[in-house]
Amino acid sequence: SYQFQCAIGFSGVIFGLIVVQSQRSGESHQSIFGLVSVPLKWYPWALLVLIQVIMPNVSFLGHLCGILVGYLYTMGILMMFTPSVATIHKIEGSALVSWIVRIPGYRLIQQETSGVLATG
């Protein structure tokens, strides 16, 4: 039963990133391991099925959840969980995280341009 399975690893995140790449790519088809070319909109699903067939003991549920979260992200539904630039400025100015801001190489958020946070 799926409720008693444990998922460990990063593969669910990879499946989410595959969805983001497939949604934002200008290509129409993607090759699966050089074996077959599938329409890009079906690529994450074909990969899910193929990997499940090749390695039946991997986390199907973890990969499926990665795909679903990838679609939620590309549709913008997860933006409600993303803090605004003003909120990030408040956090960066907080005494609780002042030690992080002082780390060499840390870059403060400076502006927002077309929904993408820019660092400077």
Side-chain angles (χ1 to χ4, degrees):
S1 170
Y2 283 115
Q3 64 187 13
F4 297 111
Q5 285 189 349
C6 176
I8 299 173
F10 198 67
S11 58
V13 174
I14 299 299
F15 270 88
L17 292 172
I18 288 169
V19 170
V20 172
Q21 182 268 333
S22 69
Q23 294 290 308
R24 296 189 175 172
S25 174
E27 302 294 322
S28 62
H29 286 76
Q30 178 73 36
S31 173
I32 298 180
F33 304 126
L35 301 173
V36 63
S37 183
V38 296
L40 206 52
K41 68 179 182 176
W42 295 108
Y43 179 68
W45 301 105
L47 198 59
L48 174 68
V49 170
L50 182 66
I51 288 179
Q52 196 63 38
V53 168
I54 293 172
M55 298 176 285
N57 292 328
V58 299
S59 176
F60 174 79
L61 190 59
H63 296 165
L64 177 64
C65 288
I67 288 174
L68 297 176
V69 169
Y71 280 114
L72 290 174
Y73 177 80
T74 58
M75 290 186 283
I77 294 172
L78 299 180
M79 290 304 293
M80 71 176 95
F81 300 109
T82 305
S84 68
V85 173
T87 302
I88 294 173
H89 278 296
K90 287 179 187 176
I91 292 170
E92 289 178 335
S94 165
L96 292 173
V97 297
S98 62
W99 64 274
I100 295 173
V101 176
R102 290 190 305 265
I103 294 174
Y106 182 86
R107 302 192 64 176
L108 295 170
I109 298 296
Q110 291 185 348
Q111 62 183 351
E112 184 174 5
T113 45
S114 67
V116 178
L117 293 176
T119 59

